[in-house]
Amino acid sequence: VDTFYHPARTIGGDFGLVSPLDEQHLNLMVCDVSGHGIGSALLANRIYTETTTQLRSGAPLGDMLRHLNRFVMNLGGPIFLFTLAVARLDRDGRRMLFAGAGHPPVMVVQPGAAPRILESRSMVLGAMSDAVGVEDTLEVSLDPHDRVVLYTDGITETFNARREMLGIDGMRRIVGETAMLPFPEMKNGILDRVAAWRD
């Protein structure tokens, strides 16, 4: 697992986590709380604490989304909004459970192939009690050498000098190109290409 975090300001509301569930499963998650600054960071801290408790308990991913949605709504109604993408991988790397809520799609890429897109099946959390869909979790078969890429809209909402947004298509192109690199070089390859795009 390789990670990168860079806040838009000195403090923000995004976070990621890598958390083993047991000897056989690994949880990966990225969360994006709306807004910037201390308010978003404090809410992100509360969500992080609730999330780690849910993940350590082995809660089904859809149940975890419902719990987090209720938890944030009880903090003050539809004031705080957040998105997330979470993946639970089997130790052998052949199977993954995925759940997303209003978050940019996760990409699964094989070196030399176009990335597969895993779309969120639930809506942004914190606004509506029924934000989590009935079919909330997707089971994904993984092949040897597949790479799973989670990110926030801090990348996809990057603009170039012509005021064109990188978007999902641009990110998909970058992920496909950088998947040809050895895994330890892929993260920096993505960041370098995003920086080259950015005005």
Side-chain angles (χ1 to χ4, degrees):
V1 178
D2 205 349
T3 65
F4 175 81
Y5 178 77
H6 182 80
R9 293 182 173 80
T10 54
I11 191 168
D14 294 2
F15 69 86
L17 63 81
V18 179
S19 171
L21 169 59
D22 49 36
E23 291 296 321
Q24 299 302 319
H25 301 93
L26 179 69
N27 294 309
L28 307 175
M29 190 177 116
V30 174
C31 180
D32 182 355
V33 177
S34 62
H36 301 287
I38 192 68
S40 293
L42 289 172
L43 178 59
N45 189 300
R46 297 286 302 274
I47 295 171
Y48 177 87
T49 302
E50 285 296 312
T51 300
T52 54
T53 300
Q54 290 287 306
L55 290 175
R56 286 182 187 142
S57 74
L61 299 183
D63 292 350
M64 183 187 79
L65 296 188
R66 289 182 187 86
H67 173 81
L68 293 175
N69 190 48
R70 286 191 304 270
F71 173 76
V72 170
M73 290 189 71
N74 289 337
L75 292 178
I79 300 170
F80 305 110
L81 305 176
F82 65 106
T83 69
L84 63 80
V86 59
R88 178 170 290 159
L89 289 92
D90 288 0
R91 184 178 183 138
D92 65 7
R94 303 305 298 272
R95 176 179 171 269
M96 177 179 80
L97 297 176
F98 164 74
H103 202 79
V106 165
M107 297 187 188
V108 178
V109 62
Q110 177 88 199
R116 288 186 282 163
I117 297 290
L118 306 180
E119 297 276 3
S120 292
R121 293 185 163 200
S122 299
M123 295 182 284
V124 172
L125 302 178
M128 298 181 295
S129 59
D130 60 350
V132 180
V134 176
E135 297 182 8
D136 47 53
T137 305
L138 179 65
E139 183 173 332
V140 181
S141 295
L142 299 175
D143 295 320
H145 309 296
D146 273 349
R147 300 174 186 184
V148 181
V149 181
L150 293 83
Y151 55 95
T152 69
D153 60 13
I155 288 183
T156 54
E157 293 182 1
T158 298
F159 289 86
N160 66 10
R162 296 187 300 274
R163 304 306 298 155
E164 298 166 334
M165 191 168 68
L166 180 64
I168 303 301
D169 290 340
M171 180 60 174
R172 189 178 191 193
R173 175 180 45 78
I174 288 173
V175 167
E177 292 171 359
T178 56
M180 298 296 293
L181 299 171
F183 178 74
E185 300 174 21
M186 185 174 177
K187 176 189 71 179
N188 286 336
I190 291 172
L191 297 174
D192 289 346
R193 284 164 174 76
V194 172
W197 169 273
R198 184 173 55 242
D199 178 22

